[in-house]
Amino acid sequence: MSNYKSNFLFRCLLIAFLLSLNIIIFSCSSQKHIISINYSFKSNTNEPNYNNLDYWAAHPFKKDPSDNIPGDLKMEIKDSIADVFFIHPTTYTDMNLPMGWNADINDVALNNKTDKSTILYQASVFNKYCRVFAPRYRQANLKAFFDGDSDSARKAFDFAYKDVKAAFEYYLKNLNNGRPIIIASHSQGTLHAQRLLKELFDGKPLQKQLVCAYIIGLPVLSGYFSTLKPCEDSTATGCIIGWRTFKEDYNAPFVLKEKQKVIVINPLTWTMDSTVAPKELNKGGILRNFSKVIPGVVHAKIHGNVLWVNKPQFFGNIFLKTKNYHIADYNLFYINIRENTGTRIKSFLKKDATK
């Protein structure tokens, strides 16, 4: 057992002591290494250099939107006992392809958009228990999803994945140091996360370091992995968690065409049970106002290959007309995911300590 893991009990006792003194722990990162975010960088090769913090949308050695917490959680204590490698969704959405099929790694506006949307609203969910690593990568344009069978689209996704894999391999070699790993993603990020898990974790030695994978927003076929299985409950580790969120009673045409079983975990119960999980189990969502936690924002039920929820309950929801809640896959269950991250990491460390 590594020194890191053997110190887990000591860390818990230390936290209890600090709590008694009302001391708030903000980060395990050494402050002298923290730098501010920079958008004016320029890669002469147009390739990301992951030795340079500018090519990380989130990194524990710099201040970035993933460090933020909702105002309602300002007294929360953080303890980074694992790492999350987060792969952000598509933010290159102009289907006129102004940069070609793949994004320019140096684009200031796009990097700013990524950070202030997905890194803030999604990657931040993990910052209570994890150091957050989220690479910038030359993501495929949104058009690739609507033209998925074309050679151009396939090449665009392959090109994007090359960066994601390079970033993870850099992280693993230089920054991980044997710490437990969570893989997390959304939408296009999940496309790349599945491939990364298949190539580097599934039935490989690295699987022993995997706490779990929250790979959300795209279908994850039940038979895609050889040894990685769906998480069966809230404490399971080394397993896969996925869902796609729609308004109840809505059957999306593209979902109806799906022939294979997809992994769907209910984030209010962390099971594959198809009964309705009442809104009372929803500890809080984060919508447009990042500072405000909204308890009971939705209930949730697994329906076939997707997750059905009621129309989110918040002031102004009368204007919400969409029935596909893809953009809120994380937001609607923000606190539940946040707490479950800690549950699974502690379960992972406890199991490892008994080996």
Side-chain angles (χ1 to χ4, degrees), residues 8 79 81 128-130 182 211 214 234 336-349:
F8 176 59
D79 183 32
I81 52 179
K128 182 177 181 179
Y129 295 103
C130 297
I182 290 174
V211 176
Y214 297 91
S234 64
N336 292 72
I337 300 170
R338 191 173 183 83
E339 293 188 358
N340 183 250
T341 300
T343 298
R344 292 190 195 276
I345 294 170
K346 292 169 186 176
S347 177
F348 175 89
L349 292 172

Side-chain angles (χ1 to χ4, degrees), residues 229-340:
K229 305 299 181 185
C231 294
E232 295 182 350
D233 57 39
S234 64
T235 65
T237 61
C239 51
I240 304 297
I241 301 156
W243 68 79
R244 293 172 292 166
T245 316
F246 294 85
K247 188 176 185 297
E248 57 192 354
D249 299 324
Y250 173 63
N251 293 292
F254 61 90
V255 173
L256 291 174
K257 294 178 181 179
E258 294 174 355
K259 303 298 183 183
Q260 294 178 269
K261 179 66 176 174
V262 169
I263 294 174
V264 188
I265 307 295
N266 189 325
L268 297 186
T269 62
W270 302 108
T271 70
M272 292 179 280
D273 190 315
S274 61
T275 58
V276 176
K279 67 177 184 179
E280 287 75 17
L281 294 179
N282 190 318
K283 298 183 178 181
I286 301 293
L287 301 180
R288 186 174 181 85
N289 181 0
F290 181 80
S291 294
K292 183 66 176 177
V293 175
I294 307 175
V297 65
V298 291
H299 61 238
K301 174 186 178 180
I302 294 174
H303 177 77
N305 277 350
V306 301
L307 189 72
W308 270 2
V309 302
N310 58 287
K311 188 175 184 178
Q313 300 300 298
F314 62 94
F315 180 75
N317 74 342
I318 190 173
F319 299 106
L320 181 64
K321 302 301 182 182
T322 183
K323 297 180 180 180
N324 183 344
Y325 299 148
H326 175 75
I327 196 172
D329 282 325
Y330 273 86
N331 303 58
L332 293 173
F333 311 103
Y334 191 95
I335 303 301
N336 292 72
I337 300 170
R338 191 173 183 83
E339 293 188 358
N340 183 250

Side-chain angles (χ1 to χ4, degrees), residues 130-154:
C130 297
R131 301 189 304 173
V132 182
F133 295 87
R136 303 196 188 283
Y137 66 99
R138 291 170 290 183
Q139 58 182 286
N141 184 273
L142 182 62
K143 182 179 174 66
F145 284 98
F146 295 90
D147 198 15
D149 291 331
S150 75
D151 188 55
S152 295
R154 286 192 294 270

